[in-house]
Amino acid sequence: MRILIASLLLMVLGGCMKVSDMAEGSREHLRDAGILDHSDIRRASPWRLQPDSFIYIAQGHFNPVGNTQPRPNLLAEQAFNGFVEYFPRLRRAAAPLGLEEAMAEARSFGAHYLLYTRFAAADDRIGTWEEWDDQRDASRFGFDTGNIQLMLLETNTHYMVDTAHIRTRSGLLTSYDTKPQELLGPPFKDYARRLLGVGR
């Protein structure tokens, strides 16, 4: 009788949720609790793009506020890597550009949209013994953080289709020897999915 009740209970629970859904839910809870890397995307518009949209990706010249200096064009590279799985028609600027320069290049290539990115802030906290030797400041221990601003503009009309703000934070298990720029891959993929209206 006990085996029958246990079997029925497992069947009922198995019918409620798939194992993959349970795993994703667990990852979300661990991210919220600060154990794993976490990112938050705030969009101004629910606008969606067609999968065959041609997007030109560029990064501004602005250096982030904070104590880190990422390499030039890092955001454009990370955005390209995140979008390429979802949008087959992409092109990336070779170097940081001003907004008008980026728009002119996007139009010259025939792109429908310009995704213009900017690293607003980044804080690289102490995460290794070498960094501790360099800084010797106990208040600098903690999680790496980053703030990114995005603008999506139509190239024909210069109309701003969407703006987004991405905040990233390293997790307890992933904070050793990481940099704020290493947290950018997943949020760009997530933003690309949201532009297509595709769930996680």
Side-chain angles (χ1 to χ4, degrees):
M1 186 68 175
R2 290 181 185 171
I3 295 174
L4 179 62
I5 292 173
S7 299
L8 286 172
L9 185 62
L10 284 173
M11 285 174 35
V12 168
L13 289 175
C16 293
M17 187 177 283
K18 296 185 293 187
V19 174
S20 61
D21 292 338
M22 290 173 59
E24 184 58 35
S26 298
R27 276 194 293 272
E28 285 299 317
H29 289 303
L30 290 171
R31 288 181 184 126
D32 290 341
I35 306 298
L36 298 177
D37 294 344
H38 176 78
S39 63
D40 180 44
I41 301 173
R42 301 293 168 107
R43 293 184 62 195
S45 167
W47 190 280
R48 292 185 181 175
L49 301 184
Q50 296 295 323
D52 62 346
S53 298
F54 182 8
I55 303 171
Y56 188 81
I57 300 171
Q59 176 179 340
H61 294 289
F62 185 78
N63 285 325
V65 174
N67 67 334
T68 187
Q69 296 299 319
R71 72 178 186 275
N73 223 33
L74 173 74
L75 285 182
E77 294 167 12
Q78 292 291 330
F80 183 89
N81 293 340
F83 272 61
V84 74
E85 184 176 341
Y86 302 98
F87 292 94
R89 302 181 65 200
L90 288 177
R91 191 168 184 110
R92 172 178 64 81
L97 300 169
L99 181 58
E100 291 306 318
E101 293 172 300
M103 182 62 77
E105 280 203 14
R107 293 183 78 172
S108 72
F109 287 114
H112 303 128
Y113 297 96
L114 166 65
L115 178 65
Y116 194 70
T117 63
R118 182 176 91 127
F119 227 143
D123 190 5
D124 183 15
R125 296 292 185 136
I126 293 175
T128 64
W129 289 112
E130 291 81 15
E131 290 174 344
W132 170 249
D133 283 340
D134 289 343
Q135 300 181 35
R136 295 282 180 180
D137 184 359
S139 67
R140 296 289 307 142
F141 281 111
F143 301 121
D144 296 337
T145 58
N147 291 322
I148 304 156
Q149 295 170 335
L150 308 174
M151 290 189 298
L152 186 67
L153 302 105
E154 280 185 328
T155 55
N156 285 339
T157 62
H158 289 222
Y159 177 72
M160 190 178 297
V161 172
D162 189 22
T163 61
H165 185 228
I166 299 175
R167 290 184 179 161
T168 61
R169 183 192 70 223
S170 64
L172 183 64
L173 297 179
T174 54
S175 60
Y176 178 76
D177 199 20
T178 58
K179 303 287 181 198
Q181 52 266 32
E182 295 171 11
L183 308 171
L184 301 176
F188 276 122
K189 280 190 174 184
D190 190 15
Y191 184 61
R193 284 193 294 263
R194 291 183 190 200
L195 285 175
L196 281 177
V198 176
R200 289 179 177 238

